[in-house]
Amino acid sequence: MPVTAETRLRAGIVNADRPALARVLASVGVFRPDELDVALEVIDAGLAPGADHYRFAVAEQAGVVVGYVVWGRTPCTDAVYDLYWIAVDKAAQGGGVGRRLLKACVDDVRARGGRLLIIETEGTVAYDDTRRFYFAVGCDEVARIPDFYRPGADKVVYRLQL
Ligand SMILES: CC(C)(COP(=O)(O)OP(=O)(O)OC[C@H]1O[C@@H](n2cnc3c(N)ncnc32)[C@H](O)[C@@H]1OP(=O)(O)O)[C@@H](O)C(=O)NCCC(=O)NCCS
């Protein structure tokens, strides 16, 4: 799907985004039920009154939510941030939405004086496309923990130098 002028990004999430983000997460087809639960917990933490750790950007096309990214400062570091989750609706993938979401995250982290963005993902076949995405957008693979998630499922750590 080509990127069109209809793709709009906005900062932050509102309660009405929760079902839309749940739909996006379900559509991508790679997340296991326990991963979906954690992704929704992060969304709920971001929606909680007074929450200020989790920072979100949401992508919409024609008023419909098609993706989001969430990140936050890593505790006990001077200026490192973690990208916790990024997802683009299956039907909208490959059209530049993910790249724009990552840029929104990077721009925000830079504006806050961040120097590194850390991203973790799985080393399994199911995440081959995801790792291609991280490579394409300039992330460096800096660590790999064999059998981290379960036997045969490594944790792969990427670093984006800001
Ligand atoms: C990973 C994801 C966020 C990327 O979003 P996207 O909108 O599909 O990505 P984009 O269209 O912006 O692609 C950006 C770049 O990544 C590359 N890329 C994206 N998907 C790719 C794929 N399947 N194969 C090869 N390269 C790919 C493209 O080449 C593109 O580079 P280009 O702009 O130079 O052409 C999205 O595919 C997704 O939601 N995946 C499932 C959820 C997931 O795994 N999230 C991460 C959890 S750790």
Side-chain angles (χ1 to χ4, degrees):
M1 175 187 289
V3 174
T4 69
E6 296 160 9
T7 302
R8 297 271 183 265
L9 259 60
R10 60 178 160 84
I13 54 170
V14 295
N15 286 328
D17 289 326
R18 192 187 192 276
L21 296 178
R23 176 184 48 72
V24 167
L25 285 161
S27 81
V28 302
V30 295
F31 300 127
R32 296 188 312 273
D34 58 324
E35 293 174 316
L36 289 171
D37 287 347
V38 173
L40 289 172
E41 279 174 22
V42 171
I43 289 166
D44 288 338
L47 288 169
D52 63 358
H53 175 74
Y54 293 110
R55 304 185 60 74
F56 289 80
V58 174
E60 293 181 339
Q61 289 177 348
V64 176
V65 172
V66 294
Y68 80 107
V69 58
V70 52
W71 65 97
R73 184 165 171 175
T74 313
C76 304
T77 67
D78 63 344
V80 178
Y81 284 71
D82 279 305
L83 188 154
Y84 295 118
W85 226 278
I86 183 168
V88 173
D89 190 288
K90 188 79 177 169
Q93 288 180 10
V97 177
R99 187 182 277 277
R100 286 187 58 183
L101 285 167
L102 183 66
K103 183 177 184 307
C105 165
V106 164
D107 287 350
D108 180 78
V109 170
R110 279 203 177 110
R112 290 165 175 273
R115 61 183 173 82
L116 287 180
L117 182 66
I118 301 297
I119 308 168
E120 299 175 358
T121 195
E122 259 191 37
T124 52
V125 170
Y127 285 86
D128 277 355
D129 288 346
T130 301
R131 296 195 308 281
R132 288 190 192 105
F133 167 76
Y134 289 135
F135 179 77
V137 296
C139 300
D140 297 318
E141 181 181 324
V142 291
R144 188 176 275 257
I145 303 175
D147 302 326
F148 177 84
Y149 294 104
R150 59 196 174 280
D154 299 352
K155 176 192 279 199
V156 184
V157 183
Y158 291 95
R159 178 182 66 177
L160 195 58
Q161 190 97 37
L162 305 179

